Structure formats: structure tokens, C-alpha cells
Amino acid sequence: MDVSAEPGPAGDPLADTPAARYARARARTRHPQLTRFADGYPFALDDFQLQGCRSLEDGSSVLVCAPTGAGKTVVGEFAVDLALASGAKCFYTTPIKALSNQKFRDLGERFGVENIGLLTGDTVVNSSAPVLVMTTEVLRNMLYAGSSALLGLRYVVMDEVHYLGDRFRGAVWEEVIIHLPESVQVAALSATVSNSEEFGEWLTTVRGDTEVVVHEQRPVPLWQHVLVGNRLFDLFAESGSGTVDPQLLRYVAERMTRVDPGSRARGRGRYQGQRPPRGWRPPVYPDVIDRLDRDGLLPVIVFIFSRAGCDAAVRQCVGEGTRLTTGDEREEIRRVAEYHAGDLAGEDLAALGYWEWLDGLQRGVAAHHAGLIPAFKEAVEELFTRGLVRVVFATETLALGINMPARTVVLDRLRKFNGDTHLDVTPGEYTQLTGRAGRRGIDVEGHAVVMWGPQVDPQQVAGLASTRTYPLTSSFRPSYNMAVNLIASVGRESARELLESSFAQFQADRSVVGIARQIRSLETALSNAREAMHCSRGDFAEYAQLRRELKRRETELARGSRASRRAAAASSLERLRRGDVIAVPSGRRAGWAVVLDNSLSRDGDARLLVLSEDRWAGRLSAADFPEPVTTTASLRVPRSFDHRSPQARRDLASSLHNLRLPPVSSGRSARDQPAEDPRIDALRADVRAHLCQGCPDREDHARQAERAFRLERELEGQRRRVEGRTNTLARTFDRICDLLTERGYLHRETGIEDLAVTALAGREEVGVTDSGRLLARIWGEADLLTAECIRSGVWDGLGAVELAAAVSTLVYEARRDDDRTTPAGAPALQEALRRTHDVWAELNRDEAAHALPLTREPDTGFAHAVARWAGGATLARALQTTDGEPLTAGDFVRWCRQVVDLLEQIAGAAADQPAGAMARAAAAAVRRGVVQA
């Protein structure tokens, strides 16, 4: 097979000329490893695969961005092949354990099981193999620990590298990319992201030469549809046109008038209420599946953004008698299910809903979500991949990583709950979800179907389907564990430099490029203004500063004088009474007036109701009286006076006129003039004596000086904006180091006592204490809180069961804001939980004082369940006693494994302390039965 030259078009007489054959032969010589590797595939590699592989063989790192199912893992497999061929090592990293398990199996089949190992934290298989598959966290930990397994490492494959944007775990990918030895080539495999060039540019800055390979074409064309009731419409009038099918729009408008009669009058494309109108009845899933089956669109993944919704959909199909399998297929399904569930205790099967789950599987229908235990999910994945299960109802987590392509993908709605609120699906999420549709080498085309409801607008669907924006944004931030590990390995100053080389800082710096451009423009304008104000008689900048200071001082005094007069005026208004005759000094109502009423506004200011000489009656406020008001005379105003009556106004205005008062003066009084003071006199003298005062071009120079002053202020503001956006990670790192130093995790190595040393010296003289080395071995969101609990002996004296319960509060987080209650238990556990909370509260106060993100509050919601389980209870009993919202079996297993993981970290980090010694026994007590399986 020729893999190093572009194939000529069919019938091209030049495609097989001697020159073309020579060029291909020469290309094969340049990339012999790729030629050998590609010959092992039954199909020709795509151009983007060849381009990525050539980069690796040429010694470069590579970033490959391609849609789901396009085959970008071929580039990762080539990195494995290069390592095996050269006697080097290759690490293949994935974001989740399930994908690591899958890649372990796939690579073992291709390269031999003896060459492939697996490290996922709780699973170790063939750890001395030249190729190790692992989760990204495992590699991060190896890098910080300086593991000997890194010796001979030449290639690292980072599958699903777009996980770097994950707000909870994304920092791990950046840490690995930054810390890998320079000699290691990285093969980064990503979904299509809209800023791939930016990401590739950053990779080049930290990894050296990196080629960016972007492939946007799907391997299988994707057709977009909308299912309205039982009718399946094409979304677009023509493929690629972007115009919604008019027939679909007409049909949707007709349906809307039935379910929401007011829709035609409002002219809206979708229902705008919080809940669907009463006339709407959603389609039942058995009917939807039957409709898709008749059109040959199975197998299908139906994305439902709710675990309960997925389970309910399966029950609905089973209840309606859906059956998509033959007798022989049902037998095979049973064998696969029994194999995956073989390690589960018989007494746990009922609690897991095994028989109901098996009934759905044998009908060809299943759910897939985080609430299922891993064994059930793995069985569903295998059966779906083999075509035995034809319908999977899944949450969106299935779209990340697991290789489960389908002919069709259905979205049951376009809104999802993100834990806080309901949000519309984004174009990036829509692309990710529908990317599962169309199996390479099996389907001629894939199909994406949106189920219509009153809240779905076909135009909205078209916008999602035609937009391909999926930017990758860093979520990287320094943590306590990261800080002590970095300082221990490279020192504080080098650690700051490493943080400044992160993708997060790279993106922040790029965001100030526009500001930097403005700064350069302002600097040029400022230079021109300074040149234009140059005066041959003297220093005009000095002269302009004197004038500016004089003006500022005069304005200050005038402002103070005006404020004083306003206060005096407001006070005088409050003293006015009914019948007082006053002068209105200016405005349309200038002249004499008589007070009819004096009341206070909401903000406490006096508001006068007056009658003027020209018979106008209305309200005046303090703003109408810049000077204090005095009463000139008074009139008797009848108690029954009605200012709305023309006759009453005429009579009272006549009485006012009969007083024959002099005209009201509206000129400026002496008090309006700015007050004088010695400083103003001195400044005026300095201005008059300055050499530039007599310059004939003085005012032209002054205009340029004012322009220069404005530019200086604007330039300073822009520079502050840049300072606020750059070095942000390093400043956070410094605050973390300050807190860790105060708490004894870091120390000044040279014993400097003077805390007023320069910031630079303060950063340099820092080392890691014994407590810091303990913290360096604790990973997770509550790393420092865990270390503080160990150091302060909060958990000392607890047995294995109580320790598992106490530690669970640092990893468990309720899915909703349920009331957090402390479970009943032994007094020792109650006291440990109380003290754990006290340590957290004290830590939060310190974090707030250092302007750091606050560690999450311990959550006792899982403590009861894990204590029961560690104490030997059945699974049904452990789930039954869970506080708050009942846990699903999958959630229970997941949280138990996280508790085990943290317990083992504690055992390794604090083996010589009471809690550390007991942690290993606690981990063993939790790791049993369904958790171990």
C-alpha cells in the first residue's frame, strides 16, 4: 500500500508515470515506519491520519482535531507502534476509567496483550509493559512523584484532550503537558474545536514543534430530522442549504394551533411558557422506536437529560411489549449479561434490579447513565457494539469518550439541567451528541433526530445543526497539592514560570493583545502631543502642571462653597411655614411666591408647594434655591384654601401683589465668587513668573499639554487593565504559598525572620516541610482540608467503619441542595464529624483572608450509607439507609470508590500516624462486593 503520496484521480495518465512512481518510492523511504504500519490496516488511511502519523515519525508532537468516529485514534496507535518498534515506552492516557479499559482491550488485540499494561488507580495490569494505558490523573501523579516508570518514555497519547476544558478535572491535562520531559512527543487527540490553531500554538510554546491537523469532514454523512408526532421530516429543504423545510414549518405551525390555540396570534415558533400547554401530550417511546425501526434507523441512542427519564423510557418499552431481538439473540444477551455480573453477590442482584435490567436487555432495550454500576454499563456497551441491543436511552455523559456509535441519534429535548438551572443545548453540545450517529464502515449515512415539542422551534434546531463552534477554554488554576509538588520538584520561582506557561495564562495573555495594540497607539499619540507642546522659552510641561494645579484648587474651593450654600439653602427651606413669602431667584418661576405647604420627599428633601405672583401653583425643591431662603413677609392662607381652584389662586395672588415687593434679583452675588486662599495666591504668582507665560504660542502649547494629560490618564488605565489580566495564575499561586507557609506546609529555607523582605526574595526562600510532603500525596478537591484533619488528629481513634464515614464527607457532594444532616452513629464519629467541620470553617476563614477560592463544605449525606456498607450490611440495606435523596446503585459504587481512593491516599501519605494506619483497613472494608466487582 502506498501511504506517502496523494493518489492520482481516476484515469489520470500522469498517475503512474515514472516520475510519479519515483516520487512515491522516495516518500516511502522518508516514512518507512508509517508505510509498514499502514500496511497492517485493511483500508487506506485518510489524508489527515497520514499527516498526523508523518509528524510523529518526523519527531514532532501533533494535535489532531477530528469529529467523533473519524478515526483519529489511528494516530495514537501509530505512536504505540513507534514505541514498540524502537524499544521505547508509550503511555496512552484517557479521561475516564471506562475508556482506559476499552483502549487496553483494543491495543492488546492489535499489539499483543504482553505489550500492553493498565493503570487506573484501582486497577493494575502488567505494569512493566512498554505500553501503559492509564487515566490522565495517574500520569500526573507519576510526574510529581518522579516515578521510575517514566524512564525510557518517548511518546504520550492524550486521547480526548479537549477534556482540558472540564471545570473540575481539566487542570490535570495542562499539568501533564507542561511537566512531561522535553524528549517526549505528544499525540493529542481532540474532538473538533473552533480554536484548534490557538491550542496548537500553545502546545508549540510548551512542547516544541507541534503540527496541528484539523479534519472537519465526518466519515459518514449526517442527515438532520425532526420527529413531529409520528411523522419524520427532513430538517433542511436541501442538504447543506441551511433553509428549514417549508413543509416542516407548516406542519409544526398547524400542530401548535392544536396544542396552544394562542400561538397563531402571538406568531411565535415555539411555546414560550415554563411548562408545555395542556393540550400537549409527548410521544411514547415504544411508538418512536417502532417508527424508527420501520425506516431502518436502528440501532439508536436516545439522549434524555435525566437518569430517571432513561430508566422510565426502558420501563415504558418493556411495559408496551417492545421486542427487537430473536430467540438466539436473547440467549447470547443472557450469556453476556451473566459474564459481566458474574462477580456480583447473589444477595445484591435484587437490590441492583438485575432481573428487570436483564428483561430490557433481552428485548434489545437498555439505559446507560452514571446511576448504573460499571458492570451493567460495560455489558450495555458490549451488547450495543455487537448489535444485540438496538436501543439505548442515555444521558449526555455517553457522548464523552466511550466508543458506542449508532446509525441514529435522537434528542428528546433541547434543554437540560446543569445542576443549577435549565439551559438550552449549545451548538458544541449538539455536535458532540449527534456525532455518535453513523458507523464508519457499516452505515452509508447517519441520522440525527430531534423530537418536536411545543418548546422546540425548527429554526432553533437548524441553528444548532449548522453551527460548528466548540471553543476549548482552559479551566486551569493552581491548587494546594500542585503548589507543594511544584515547589518540591522545581522551586517556587520555577513553579511560577511553569504556571505562567499554562494554556490558561496563554489565553489570558492573548486576550490583552487588543489592549496592547491600543497602548501602542496611545504611546505614539502621547509622544506626538509632547513634541507639539515643546516651548523654546522653558519647560512647558512644568508650566502646564502649574496651571492645572491652580484650576484644580479653584474648582475645589468653588465646589466646597457651592456645597456649603446648598446645605444652608436646604436647611432654610425646612424652616419655612405656610404663608411665608419668599423670593424664587431664577428659572421659569422666578419672582415672589407664597408657601402653601412644606413636606419632605422620600429622600428627606424639602418640597415646597407655592403660589407665584402669576397665579401658578406647584412644587419647588432645593434645586430651585442655590442660596438660603429668607422670609420677606407673610400672608394669611385660609385653612380651606384649594390651590386647584382658579378663584382661590386669583384671590391669594392678588394679596401677594398688594405687598408691592421689589423685583427679585437673579444676578450673581459676591458669595458666588470662588473663595480665596494663600495656596491660590502662590500658584497664580508662579504662573505669572514662569518663562512660558509670555510665549506667543502659549495657548496652542496649552491645548497640546491638555491632550497629553488626557492621553497619560488613558494610558495608565489601559496598563492597569493589562496588569489585571496577566500573571493572574502566578498571583493566585503566591497567595496559596502564603497560606501554606502560615499553616506550616512551606517554610523559608534560610530562616529569614524579617517578613518585610522583598517579594522576590520572599518567593525564592521557600521549601516544603514534613506536613507539605504529606499534602503532596493527597489529591482531590479537599486536599488541604484532608491534610489538616490528619495533622490535627481529628480522625485519630476512629475504627475502620467510622473513618470511612468521616472521610466520605470530603468526597461526597449531593446532586441537589438537600438538607445536610449528620447521621446517627457512635459518639466518636459524631465528635469527628463536628471537628472536621470546625477545621473546615477555620480553613475557610483563612482562604477568605487570602482571597482564595473556598474549600467546599463537608457533606455528611453519604456517611450513613458507607458506614453501613463498611460494617458488613447488604447493598439493599446500605442504599435504604442513605440520608436525603436515595442513591442509585451506580452512584453508591462511584462514591464508595472515591472514598476508597482517598483512604488509600491517606494510608500512603500518613502511614506513621493513627489515621493513616487505620485508613488501609477502612479501604478494605469498603472495597468488597459490588464495589470491588
Side-chain angles (χ1 to χ4, degrees):
M1 179 194 303
D2 179 8
V3 300
S4 299
E6 299 289 340
D12 184 354
L14 299 179
D16 199 35
T17 62
R21 288 196 298 272
Y22 173 75
R24 288 195 293 271
R26 186 177 178 185
R28 290 171 67 89
T29 304
R30 282 204 309 270
H31 298 97
Q33 300 286 1
L34 175 56
T35 301
R36 176 189 51 77
F37 171 76
D39 283 341
Y41 280 89
F43 54 85
L45 300 188
D46 290 339
D47 288 344
F48 84 93
Q49 294 169 325
L50 296 174
Q51 186 180 352
C53 292
R54 290 186 193 120
S55 298
L56 288 176
E57 189 168 355
D58 289 340
S60 299
S61 292
V62 64
L63 168 65
V64 180
C65 300
T68 300
K72 52 184 174 287
T73 54
V74 166
V75 180
E77 291 176 358
F78 183 57
V80 172
D81 185 86
L82 286 173
L84 292 175
S86 62
K89 288 184 180 178
C90 176
F91 289 172
Y92 198 112
T93 71
T94 75
I96 53 179
K97 294 177 182 179
L99 186 56
S100 289
N101 294 333
Q102 187 179 83
K103 294 309 300 183
F104 172 65
R105 292 191 297 268
D106 294 346
L107 294 176
E109 291 175 4
R110 178 165 179 80
F111 297 101
V113 293
E114 71 281 1
N115 291 318
I116 312 298
L118 178 66
L119 300 175
T120 59
D122 55 358
T123 303
V124 178
V125 179
N126 197 14
S127 61
S128 61
V131 177
L132 294 178
V133 182
M134 62 187 68
T135 51
T136 316
E137 280 88 351
V138 171
L139 177 53
R140 187 270 311 271
N141 298 353
M142 292 169 66
L143 288 166
Y144 280 144
S147 171
S148 59
L150 297 169
L151 295 175
L153 179 64
R154 180 62 189 279
Y155 302 95
V156 167
V157 180
M158 304 193 76
D159 206 351
E160 308 288 344
V161 75
H162 53 270
Y163 255 84
L164 181 144
D166 183 87
R167 67 189 181 105
F168 298 110
R169 299 169 56 214
V172 176
W173 276 259
E174 290 191 51
E175 289 179 76
V176 168
I177 291 171
I178 292 171
H179 292 303
L180 280 173
E182 293 181 9
S183 58
V184 174
Q185 291 176 241
V186 172
L189 312 179
S190 170
T192 304
V193 293
S194 53
N195 60 335
S196 55
E197 291 79 8
E198 178 189 44
F199 185 44
E201 186 178 341
W202 172 70
L203 285 173
T204 299
T205 64
V206 294
R207 301 298 322 155
D209 188 25
T210 302
E211 183 165 359
V212 178
V213 179
V214 178
H215 179 72
E216 297 184 345
Q217 184 177 355
R218 285 176 48 89
V220 179
L222 181 65
W223 289 86
Q224 305 282 346
H225 309 278
V226 177
L227 181 65
V228 188
N230 205 33
R231 292 189 59 177
L232 190 65
F233 291 88
D234 288 339
L235 174 60
F236 297 113
E238 296 179 8
S239 177
S241 68
T243 303
V244 177
D245 187 346
Q247 186 180 2
L248 167 63
L249 294 174
R250 286 193 297 268
Y251 191 75
V252 165
E254 180 186 344
R255 293 274 299 206
M256 279 298 297
T257 58
R258 289 188 230 162
V259 300
D260 179 25
S263 63
R264 188 182 299 277
R266 290 193 302 269
R268 291 173 176 171
R270 63 172 173 169
Y271 183 72
Q272 302 295 310
Q274 294 296 315
R275 296 182 178 179
R278 293 183 180 180
W280 165 246
R281 293 292 180 271
V284 293
Y285 288 108
D287 292 344
V288 173
I289 300 308
D290 183 61
R291 177 70 174 83
L292 296 174
D293 192 18
R294 291 201 310 271
D295 285 355
L297 297 181
L298 301 185
V300 60
I301 298 173
V302 182
F303 283 110
I304 301 175
F305 303 122
S306 157
R307 299 180 187 180
C310 292
D311 294 335
V314 173
R315 288 195 299 270
Q316 193 179 74
C317 290
V318 172
E320 292 292 324
T322 299
R323 190 176 296 281
L324 305 170
T325 55
T326 65
D328 290 342
E329 288 172 335
R330 288 193 287 276
E331 286 300 315
E332 181 62 18
I333 288 171
R334 176 182 286 273
R335 283 193 292 270
V336 172
E338 290 176 347
Y339 168 78
H340 283 277
D343 292 333
L344 301 176
E347 62 183 2
D348 292 338
L349 293 179
L352 293 169
Y354 173 79
W355 306 109
E356 294 83 356
W357 172 71
L358 180 60
D359 186 18
L361 284 183
Q362 290 184 302
R363 294 172 180 272
V365 180
H368 190 290
H369 54 70
L372 296 173
I373 64 170
F376 283 14
K377 288 192 290 185
E378 290 165 11
V380 171
E381 292 160 12
E382 179 181 341
L383 291 169
F384 190 78
T385 303
R386 291 174 56 180
L388 295 170
V389 166
R390 294 183 173 86
V391 178
V392 168
F393 297 97
T395 54
E396 71 270 26
T397 53
L398 178 61
L400 302 173
I402 302 300
N403 182 27
M404 275 180 59
R407 179 167 297 166
T408 303
V409 163
V410 174
L411 275 66
D412 88 317
R413 64 191 62 195
L414 295 177
R415 285 179 68 79
K416 67 173 188 174
F417 187 70
N418 70 348
D420 298 318
T421 186
H422 286 87
L423 299 172
D424 287 341
V425 170
T426 67
E429 290 168 335
Y430 184 89
T431 301
Q432 189 84 358
L433 294 168
T434 58
R436 293 278 168 194
R439 297 166 296 176
R440 186 172 189 175
I442 301 175
D443 298 318
V444 176
E445 57 194 23
H447 299 268
V449 179
V450 172
M451 292 174 58
W452 180 82
Q455 293 174 309
V456 173
D457 180 5
Q459 298 286 2
Q460 177 198 15
V461 182
L464 291 172
S466 57
T467 304
R468 290 292 179 265
T469 15
Y470 188 64
L472 183 60
T473 304
S474 173
S475 59
F476 181 85
R477 65 178 178 85
S479 66
Y480 300 116
N481 172 277
M482 184 194 303
V484 292
N485 273 294
L486 283 174
I487 290 173
S489 57
V490 299
R492 182 164 176 171
E493 278 307 299
S494 296
R496 295 179 92 256
E497 293 173 4
L498 283 170
L499 291 172
E500 289 172 352
S501 66
S502 67
F503 186 45
Q505 191 60 63
F506 183 82
Q507 288 190 309
D509 291 343
R510 286 177 67 92
S511 72
V512 304
V513 169
I515 303 176
R517 189 180 302 115
Q518 294 177 34
I519 287 175
R520 289 193 296 272
S521 176
L522 288 171
E523 287 173 339
T524 300
L526 177 60
S527 176
N528 293 337
R530 285 171 174 168
E531 184 178 347
M533 77 177 189
H534 176 71
C535 180
S536 59
R537 298 197 177 194
D539 185 348
F540 202 90
E542 179 184 71
Y543 174 73
Q545 182 60 36
L546 287 171
R547 287 177 44 150
R548 192 175 301 115
E549 177 63 19
L550 174 60
K551 182 178 180 181
R552 184 190 64 78
R553 182 64 179 163
E554 289 176 340
T555 302
E556 253 180 24
L557 290 177
R559 185 182 296 119
S561 178
R562 286 195 299 270
S564 176
R565 290 199 304 275
R566 281 197 300 270
S571 177
S572 69
L573 290 179
E574 294 175 4
R575 294 191 293 268
L576 294 176
R577 297 292 181 265
R578 184 181 176 91
D580 286 347
V581 176
I582 61 174
V584 180
S586 60
R588 289 191 304 159
R589 304 305 172 188
W592 297 102
V594 59
V595 177
L596 304 177
D597 179 61
N598 189 358
S599 60
L600 294 178
S601 65
R602 289 182 180 178
D603 55 6
D605 290 338
R607 285 180 56 78
L608 300 177
L609 177 63
V610 301
L611 175 72
S612 66
E613 289 180 288
D614 59 2
R615 306 177 190 176
W616 173 83
R619 295 277 181 185
L620 298 177
S621 69
D624 296 298
F625 299 93
E627 298 284 347
V629 181
T630 58
T631 301
T632 303
S634 65
L635 288 173
R636 180 181 177 278
V637 180
R639 180 170 300 184
S640 60
F641 182 81
D642 182 4
H643 69 276
R644 298 180 184 84
S645 165
Q647 180 63 44
R649 291 200 306 270
R650 184 170 59 250
D651 292 345
L652 187 58
S654 177
S655 298
L656 179 61
H657 182 71
N658 290 336
L659 293 176
R660 301 187 183 279
L661 297 171
V664 174
S665 172
S666 60
R668 285 168 59 94
S669 68
R671 295 173 60 187
D672 291 320
Q673 304 302 322
E676 300 293 343
D677 78 338
R679 176 60 179 157
I680 285 182
D681 293 339
L683 287 170
R684 285 173 178 167
D686 289 342
V687 167
R688 286 193 296 268
H690 200 280
L691 294 174
C692 293
Q693 173 74 2
C695 176
D697 299 321
R698 183 187 66 195
E699 293 309 310
D700 288 340
H701 293 166
R703 281 190 292 274
Q704 292 298 330
E706 282 302 311
R707 179 167 177 261
F709 177 66
R710 289 194 303 271
L711 289 170
E712 285 172 350
R713 285 189 301 177
E714 189 174 351
L715 188 58
E716 179 60 27
Q718 297 289 25
R719 284 172 174 160
R720 281 197 300 269
R721 287 180 65 193
V722 169
E723 176 63 23
R725 297 191 186 192
T726 56
N727 303 318
T728 52
L729 293 178
R731 288 199 297 272
T732 301
F733 176 74
D734 287 339
R735 292 195 293 268
I736 286 174
C737 290
D738 291 342
L739 186 148
L740 292 177
T741 302
E742 290 175 9
R743 286 184 167 263
Y745 292 90
L746 300 174
H747 68 88
R748 299 183 185 278
E749 292 185 320
T750 57
I752 294 177
E753 299 295 335
D754 182 10
L755 297 182
V757 295
T758 65
L760 180 60
R763 289 199 299 263
E764 287 177 341
E765 308 298 341
V766 170
V768 179
T769 65
D770 288 341
S771 295
R773 282 183 277 277
L774 182 152
L775 175 59
R777 301 185 67 179
I778 304 294
W779 317 92
E781 186 182 355
D783 48 7
L784 182 54
L785 178 56
T786 304
E788 286 286 287
C789 288
I790 296 171
R791 275 205 320 169
S792 57
V794 165
W795 301 328
D796 291 355
L798 295 179
V801 171
E802 290 78 18
L803 181 58
V807 167
S808 76
T809 66
L810 304 191
V811 298
Y812 177 74
E813 184 175 8
R815 295 183 66 215
R816 295 180 176 86
D817 292 332
D818 296 328
D819 291 336
R820 295 172 179 175
T821 58
T822 302
L829 174 59
Q830 296 296 307
E831 177 65 10
L833 293 176
R834 184 190 65 77
R835 292 180 63 193
T836 299
H837 193 276
D838 289 345
V839 171
W840 165 80
E842 182 186 350
L843 175 59
N844 262 202
R845 286 192 291 271
D846 273 6
E847 289 171 326
H850 286 82
L852 291 169
L854 303 182
T855 298
R856 181 176 56 80
E857 182 179 3
D859 190 332
T860 62
F862 189 62
H864 204 170
V866 75
R868 290 280 186 174
W869 180 254
T874 64
L875 178 62
R877 178 66 173 148
L879 296 177
Q880 178 186 352
T881 56
T882 299
D883 288 338
E885 183 184 1
L887 285 172
T888 64
D891 283 331
F892 175 80
V893 171
R894 180 162 55 89
W895 290 119
C896 278
R897 288 185 171 182
Q898 292 196 30
V899 171
V900 168
D901 184 51
L902 183 53
L903 285 168
E904 290 182 336
Q905 291 178 37
I906 294 170
D912 57 343
Q913 300 190 39
M918 183 57 67
R920 203 168 299 282
V926 178
R927 195 197 300 105
R928 67 177 182 88
V930 67
V931 176
Q932 185 176 29

